[in-house]
Amino acid sequence: MTSMIDTWDADAPGILRLPSGRLVRGRGLRRPLPDGPLPDFAVYLLGRTPPPVQWDSRWVRWPDFALPRDRRDTVDALGEVWRRAASERVEVACGGGRGRTGTALACIAVLDGVPARDAVAYVRRHYHRHAVETPWQRRYVGRFTTPSS
């Protein structure tokens, strides 16, 4: 694994430590940007175009309380989060930071080796206890497979 020098402080708010040691920040865009370093890359999970940011970012079309519109694009974006988190500060965010963000973080945990059936519990334990808000989001995570699967 590459050096973790340029990633997040593991104790900062919203940071999820994956089993591999990678750190990913989840957050809600309706709240102010947290103090501290800026992300190097972000994936925004929104039903409409996100506001511009000064770092590299990607938009996944994902309406509130729903599922992503394009599964292939979502898998690709979450894979990019996982890869870049090895050496960069990466964040995943939606409006509130729980439903879509929690679902995405759980899928990233699957990419990191957490069994899909355990990923929601993992994210609720290590990120936010109310992450992954709807039954269909939980099913999405349970059925999430890695690109090679």
Side-chain angles (χ1 to χ4, degrees):
M1 190 165 79
T2 50
S3 169
M4 304 288 275
I5 291 173
D6 295 329
T7 63
W8 302 109
D9 171 358
D11 297 323
I15 301 300
L16 173 67
R17 179 184 292 277
L18 296 166
S20 66
R22 286 172 165 89
L23 304 174
V24 179
R25 180 170 76 185
R27 75 179 181 100
L29 295 171
R30 289 192 296 264
R31 290 191 273 292
L33 186 66
D35 291 334
L38 298 174
D40 297 308
F41 175 67
V43 170
Y44 297 116
L45 316 163
L46 299 167
R48 60 179 63 165
T49 308
V53 292
Q54 60 191 25
W55 47 86
D56 192 14
S57 68
R58 184 167 174 176
W59 172 37
V60 170
R61 189 180 300 264
W62 192 332
D64 202 7
F65 295 105
L67 296 175
R69 294 292 185 222
D70 183 330
R71 185 186 188 292
R72 185 173 294 152
D73 181 57
T74 303
V75 169
D76 186 64
L78 300 180
E80 186 173 1
V81 167
W82 182 81
R83 286 186 303 277
R84 292 179 74 160
S87 61
E88 298 178 64
R89 286 184 305 275
V90 180
E91 78 173 6
V92 175
C94 65
R98 292 185 188 165
R100 293 168 285 180
T101 296
T103 303
L105 290 173
C107 292
I108 294 164
V110 171
L111 294 174
D112 201 62
V114 174
R117 70 182 174 279
D118 301 330
V120 171
Y122 183 88
V123 170
R124 286 179 174 170
R125 189 170 46 257
H126 298 287
Y127 170 67
H128 195 285
R129 64 188 180 105
H130 296 296
V132 192
E133 295 174 319
T134 69
W136 44 92
Q137 289 171 339
R138 287 191 297 278
R139 279 194 302 275
Y140 184 85
V141 173
R143 295 176 182 153
F144 189 80
T145 56
T146 60
S148 60
S149 298

